[in-house]
């Protein structure tokens, strides 16, 4: 395994740093520069300068705001004799810390600080002026909606936290910070609402993240895989989102939201299977419309998973279930096909997945053209060459189209993958193989949990109160209670009809 969980004492949530003895800062500027150079192996982007005799500046070239360096720090040096305390009073920068240990100064440098060393003093000023370079806020690319906010997270942790706080202007919104990664020291933030989120759930998430020992976490999707209950299951047990409004909706329901510095996706936990088929737009439209589209997504999921398998089972073993008017068109369509139905179906499914993957990896305009033109050309040529039938092309295309209705990209990938073993079972054992696959998937989902909470809630275990906002959505007055899955301390969201 490339990582292992590390046992910590209760309440410890610190970073995974090497346990080296700390060294005090030298009073000599030259000695201090040699110590910092040795730590960073004389990196080319490490800047060391002496703006005036006895004053040493040390910083990383691309990690600091140079405008603030020149305007708020350099201009305040003057000519008079300086001490660390006097210089700290003169600087017009909010985040300044007096440090006396080398390791702490090294961490400040990596966080975007300028170290100011004054000759003769065994401490430095760490002036935090990190660069503000980050991607500007834009519309969510993968979770677009028509009615609702058109704003998505970016890769800046501070920006993402500020977006959440704009929606939830609540002093009870807590931010617990953890540092992960022996090599990357990535900042991870846990957000939850005090008095709403379960203390046990917050503690569970904190311990799982703190007990992971790994070289680096570069994205929240990797962190999600590390804290899932069952990493061997193909089904994701946690949901990623790039929408601040959805993250806030999770917080209001008593859940915990995890943000990772450098990632534009946040993790919500715990989650249930039905939530993968819910869109944020469902809350912004009338309940009749939301219920219709939710039911449509579940039907599309079943259609995508089982439609091709039913076709293969019917033509291979169960001709008697095919209506009489369809037998003649089916026979004519398959009259020139040299393959059995299972080979024909797997071939077409493979081609569809090949086109989808190629379209996703190519540039946007080229990918769209590739998908449309490739599908038409290959489909027409396959029928004319006698490799497949017209009816199977329609069935496979409908199954592929249905798989794209799932709002969650990760669940959509799972649906597209599990079709293949189900088709194989249907080709060998007909409807018995299809039912075996259905029962296996159902039992597997019944056994899954999301951070200890049942994955198929609210249907297993049965919680009728939570059915009001599950596969369908009832009027808002009937959804005034928070879902029981996260075990919230305060179960009421607003005053509804009891």
């Amino acid at each position: 395994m490339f990582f292992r969980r590390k046992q910590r004492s209760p309440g410890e949530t610190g970073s995974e740093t090497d346990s080296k003895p700390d060294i005090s800062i030298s009073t000599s500027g030259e000695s201090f520069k040699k110590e910092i150079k040795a730590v960073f192996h004389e990196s080319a982007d490490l800047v060391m300068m002496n703006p005036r005799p006895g004053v040493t500046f040390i910083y990383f070239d691309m990690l600091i705001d140079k405008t603030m360096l020149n305007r708020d720090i350099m201009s305040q040096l003057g000519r008079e004799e300086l001490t660390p305390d006097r210089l700290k009073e003169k600087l017009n920068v909010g985040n300044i810390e007096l440090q006396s240990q080398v390791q702490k100064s090294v961490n400040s440098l990596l966080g975007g600080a300028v170290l100011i060393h004054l000759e003769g003093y065994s401490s430095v000023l760490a002036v935090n002026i990190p660069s503000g370079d980050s991607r500007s806020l834009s519309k969510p690319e993968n979770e677009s909606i028509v009615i609702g906010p058109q704003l998505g997270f970016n890769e800046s942790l501070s920006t993402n936290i500020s977006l959440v706080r704009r929606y939830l202007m609540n002093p009870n919104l807590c931010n617990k910070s953890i540092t992960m990664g022996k090599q990357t020291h990535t900042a991870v933030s846990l957000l939850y609402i005090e008095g709403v989120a379960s203390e046990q759930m917050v503690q569970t998430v904190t311990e799982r993240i703190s007990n992971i020992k790994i070289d680096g976490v570069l994205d929240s999707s990797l962190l999600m895989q590390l804290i899932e209950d069952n990493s061997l299951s193909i089904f994701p047990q946690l949901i990623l989102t790039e929408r601040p409004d959805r993250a806030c909706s999770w917080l209001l329901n008593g859940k915990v939201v995890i943000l990772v510095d450098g990632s534009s996706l946040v993790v919500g936990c715990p989650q249930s299977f039905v939530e993968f088929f819910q869109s944020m737009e469902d809350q912004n439209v009338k309940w009749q419309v939301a219920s219709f589209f939710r039911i449509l997504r579940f039907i599309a999921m079943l259609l995508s998973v089982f439609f091709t398998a039913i076709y293969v089972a019917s033509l291979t073993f169960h001709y008697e279930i095919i209506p009489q008017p369809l037998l003649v068109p089916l026979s004519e369509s398959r009259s020139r096909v040299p393959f059995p139905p299972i080979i024909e179906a797997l071939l077409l499914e493979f081609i569809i997945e090949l086109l989808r993957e190629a379209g996703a990896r190519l540039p946007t305009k080229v990918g769209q053209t590739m998908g449309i033109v490739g599908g038409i050309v290959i489909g027409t040529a396959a029928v004319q060459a006698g490799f497949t039938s017209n009816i199977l092309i329609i069935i496979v295309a409908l199954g592929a189209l249905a798989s794209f209705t799932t709002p969650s990209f990760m669940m959509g990938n799972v649906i597209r993958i599990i079709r293949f073993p189900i088709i194989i079972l249907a080709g060998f054992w007909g409807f018995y193989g299809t039912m075996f696959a259905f029962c296996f998937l159902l039992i597997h989902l019944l056994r899954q949990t999301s951070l200890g909470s049942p994955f198929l809630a609210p249907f297993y275990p049965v919680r009728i109160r939570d059915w009001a906002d599950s596969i369908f959505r009832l009027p808002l007055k009937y959804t005034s209670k928070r879902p029981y899955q996260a075990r919230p301390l305060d179960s009421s969201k607003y005053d509804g009809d009891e």
Side-chain angles (χ1 to χ4, degrees):
M1 296 294 289
F2 68 95
F3 76 94
R4 64 181 177 88
R5 293 186 182 251
K6 175 184 174 185
Q7 298 299 324
R8 294 178 182 269
S9 59
E12 182 182 357
T13 60
S15 63
E16 298 182 37
T17 56
D18 296 330
S19 56
K20 298 178 181 178
D22 213 342
I23 304 172
S24 298
I25 292 174
S26 173
T27 57
S28 169
E30 291 300 320
S31 298
F32 180 60
K33 287 196 291 185
K34 289 180 181 178
E35 292 172 349
I36 297 298
K37 282 182 179 180
V39 171
F40 292 105
H41 308 284
E42 300 189 2
S43 296
D45 57 340
L46 182 64
V47 179
M48 297 184 175
M49 56 185 296
N50 297 96
R52 53 170 280 190
V55 179
T56 302
F57 279 29
I58 304 176
Y59 58 89
F60 277 101
D61 190 31
M62 303 305 295
L63 293 184
I64 67 162
D65 188 332
K66 294 181 181 178
T67 302
M68 292 186 66
L69 174 65
N70 295 322
R71 182 190 63 201
D72 300 327
I73 300 177
M74 291 283 203
S75 61
Q76 302 299 322
L77 293 179
R79 295 293 179 183
E80 70 273 15
E81 183 179 351
L82 294 174
T83 66
D85 292 331
R86 187 179 302 172
L87 181 58
K88 184 177 180 180
E89 294 176 358
K90 291 184 63 177
L91 296 181
N92 297 321
V93 181
N95 193 351
I96 305 177
E97 185 178 356
L98 192 62
Q99 299 174 350
S100 58
Q101 303 295 329
V102 172
Q103 184 59 46
K104 198 168 185 181
S105 300
V106 167
N107 294 336
S108 297
L109 276 175
L110 294 172
V114 175
L115 300 183
I116 305 177
H117 183 278
L118 301 179
E119 192 72 27
Y121 293 92
S122 60
S123 60
V124 296
L125 285 178
V127 185
N128 193 32
I129 50 171
S131 172
D133 295 337
S134 63
R135 180 170 61 91
S136 60
L137 298 177
S138 60
K139 294 176 62 174
E141 294 290 334
N142 301 314
E143 293 181 85
S144 59
I145 63 175
V146 178
I147 301 175
Q150 305 295 322
L151 194 63
F153 289 118
N154 66 7
E155 287 74 22
S156 171
L157 180 61
S158 58
T159 301
N160 294 340
I161 294 175
S162 68
L163 286 175
V164 175
R165 289 198 178 276
R166 288 181 190 177
Y167 282 93
L168 300 179
M169 293 184 287
N170 186 345
N172 292 325
L173 177 61
C174 299
N175 177 10
K176 181 178 291 188
S177 180
I178 302 175
T179 303
M180 287 191 65
K182 185 172 64 175
Q183 305 295 340
T184 60
H185 302 291
T186 305
V188 177
S189 288
L190 270 65
L191 301 185
Y192 61 94
I193 299 179
E194 182 71 26
V196 176
S198 166
E199 295 178 1
Q200 180 181 359
M201 185 61 65
V202 175
Q203 183 66 20
T204 298
V205 178
T206 304
E207 289 180 354
R208 290 202 183 186
I209 295 177
S210 301
N211 292 340
I212 293 172
K213 187 174 183 180
I214 190 172
D215 278 352
V217 175
L218 301 180
D219 191 76
S220 54
S221 56
L222 175 59
L223 176 60
M224 183 191 75
Q225 297 175 57
L226 295 176
I227 66 174
E228 282 182 332
D229 290 5
N230 184 5
S231 60
L232 298 179
S233 174
I234 191 174
F235 290 93
Q237 293 117 55
L238 302 175
I239 300 180
L240 294 168
T241 185
E242 56 183 343
R243 298 192 60 86
D245 54 339
R246 192 173 194 187
C248 293
S249 175
W250 291 338
L251 291 170
L252 291 173
N253 282 331
K255 299 185 179 184
V256 179
V257 170
I258 307 171
L259 297 89
V260 178
D261 193 17
S263 175
S264 61
L265 298 171
V266 306
V267 185
C269 48
Q271 302 290 353
S272 64
F273 180 73
V274 295
E275 291 183 80
F276 285 90
F277 301 91
Q278 297 176 359
S279 170
M280 197 59 208
E281 195 170 25
D282 296 343
Q283 304 295 330
N284 302 329
V285 297
K286 297 287 289 184
W287 67 272
Q288 299 94 333
V289 178
S291 298
F292 172 79
F293 284 115
R294 284 187 181 181
I295 294 172
L296 179 66
R297 293 184 198 118
F298 275 94
I299 294 175
M301 181 265 294
L302 295 174
L303 187 72
S304 177
V305 172
F306 293 105
F307 200 15
T308 308
I310 291 173
Y311 169 86
V312 171
S314 301
L315 288 186
T316 307
F317 298 100
H318 310 287
Y319 268 102
E320 65 277 4
I321 74 164
I322 302 175
Q324 189 70 27
L326 284 179
L327 281 175
V328 175
L330 274 173
S331 301
E332 292 177 350
S333 179
R334 284 191 45 81
S335 59
R336 297 179 55 202
V337 179
F339 307 116
I342 181 175
I343 301 298
E344 180 190 8
L346 289 175
L347 179 63
L348 269 186
E349 290 283 0
F350 178 77
I351 291 174
I352 288 291
E353 290 304 310
L354 197 63
L355 288 171
R356 186 191 67 83
E357 186 67 13
R361 300 291 168 248
L362 289 171
T364 305
K365 294 181 180 179
V366 180
Q368 293 174 351
T369 305
M370 175 72 181
I372 297 172
V373 176
I376 295 173
V377 171
I378 294 177
T380 305
V383 173
Q384 291 178 351
F387 279 96
T388 185
S389 62
N390 286 318
I391 293 178
L392 182 58
I393 285 184
I394 296 173
I395 291 174
V396 170
L398 283 175
L401 187 64
S403 69
F404 290 108
T405 62
T406 306
S408 171
F409 175 77
M410 301 186 72
M411 184 61 73
N413 287 337
V414 172
I415 290 173
R416 285 187 284 271
I417 291 173
I418 63 177
R419 283 185 303 195
F420 288 91
I422 296 177
I423 292 172
I424 293 173
L425 289 173
F428 282 105
W429 293 297
F431 284 154
Y432 295 105
T434 306
M435 286 305 300
F436 173 80
F438 175 78
C439 293
F440 178 83
L441 289 174
L442 182 60
I443 293 172
H444 177 72
L445 291 173
L446 288 170
R447 290 168 56 89
Q448 300 309 304
T449 56
S450 177
L451 291 179
S453 299
F455 191 51
L456 283 188
F459 302 102
Y460 176 80
V462 178
R463 293 164 182 158
I464 297 179
R465 189 193 74 184
D466 293 345
W467 288 10
D469 191 12
S470 56
I471 293 180
F472 46 82
R473 182 175 76 80
L474 296 183
L476 290 177
K477 64 180 180 179
Y478 299 114
T479 61
S480 60
K481 299 296 183 181
R482 292 186 173 91
Y484 182 76
Q485 184 192 25
R487 298 178 178 85
L489 299 180
D490 183 3
S491 62
S492 296
K493 290 191 289 187
Y494 51 86
D495 293 331
D497 290 341
E498 298 291 342

